[in-house]
Amino acid sequence: MNTALEFAATVHGDGRGGLSDELATPGGLARWTGSTAPDEALRRRLVELRWAVRALFAHATRAQQRLDTPRLPDLDTALRLVNEAAARVPSAVQLDWHDGEPRVRRIDSADEGDRLLASLATAAIEFLASGERSGLRACPAPRCVRYFVKAHPQQQWCKPSCGNRARVSRHYHRTHP
């Protein structure tokens, strides 16, 4: 799965009409990143970036009202947050000369948290600016807040269980007016 989609998918429906957030606690952040030292400040910055990425996905897919809509920043704020996060790791190119051969190396002075934010923001920017964005969809199933890339022309939902939930919901509404 695409890194930007994986990041956006850290919030999803909880199965009871609410949202479940994998980054809600420092422990959740540690599990998602594989980090051994969760940092609350970094967790808050990642959550803010994630809502910004989701806002850009919602804009790109023209998603209707969903469970996460009240938490999404407006388009200008989302763009600013993602672009600022991507710019957190300015790098410089340096030339080394070892064993008679020139080599290029990139250096930066960022910490691991800034590198993580920048890499996730960059993944979102590259995804949204790529041709792959044309396949991006917001799952229309009831209570689902996931985004997915349409893999084939018939695909309507992010996963089969969402298709089942949508069909059950349609059947219920037809038989219980």
Side-chain angles (χ1 to χ4, degrees):
M1 182 187 274
N2 175 291
T3 301
L5 284 170
E6 285 181 29
F7 182 46
T10 58
V11 66
H12 47 84
D14 65 4
R16 297 177 304 277
L19 294 174
S20 179
D21 187 348
E22 294 176 27
L23 304 179
T25 65
L29 169 65
R31 279 188 298 284
W32 193 75
T33 62
S35 163
T36 56
D39 177 332
E40 178 60 22
L42 175 60
R43 187 197 69 77
R44 284 193 306 269
R45 289 169 40 205
L46 278 168
V47 167
E48 181 180 49
L49 177 61
R50 192 249 337 263
W51 289 122
V53 169
R54 290 183 65 83
L56 296 175
F57 282 8
H59 181 75
T61 61
R62 293 176 174 78
Q64 301 300 315
Q65 186 75 13
R66 294 160 45 110
L67 287 173
D68 66 340
T69 302
R71 298 180 185 204
L72 301 180
D74 63 71
L75 179 61
D76 289 337
T77 302
L79 286 168
R80 180 183 54 77
L81 289 168
V82 169
N83 287 329
E84 285 175 358
R88 292 188 76 83
V89 184
S91 65
V93 177
Q94 292 195 342
L95 182 64
D96 286 336
W97 214 285
H98 292 286
D99 301 324
E101 291 294 320
R103 293 205 171 86
V104 173
R105 71 180 169 110
R106 297 190 182 280
I107 61 166
D108 67 59
S109 58
D111 63 29
E112 288 303 312
D114 283 342
R115 282 190 197 100
L116 177 60
L117 284 163
S119 69
L120 292 168
T122 300
I125 290 167
E126 289 174 348
F127 172 74
L128 288 166
S130 75
E132 197 175 6
R133 182 195 77 241
S134 65
L136 181 64
R137 301 290 186 270
C139 185
R143 298 185 315 273
C144 186
V145 294
R146 292 185 192 267
Y147 292 94
F148 66 97
V149 173
K150 192 172 182 175
H152 57 81
Q154 300 284 315
Q155 186 176 2
Q156 295 179 344
W157 301 285
C158 66
K159 52 189 180 176
S161 60
C162 280
N164 291 338
R165 193 168 50 249
R167 284 187 287 278
V168 167
S169 177
R170 275 196 314 264
H171 174 75
Y172 178 84
H173 285 90
R174 274 195 311 260
T175 58
H176 296 88

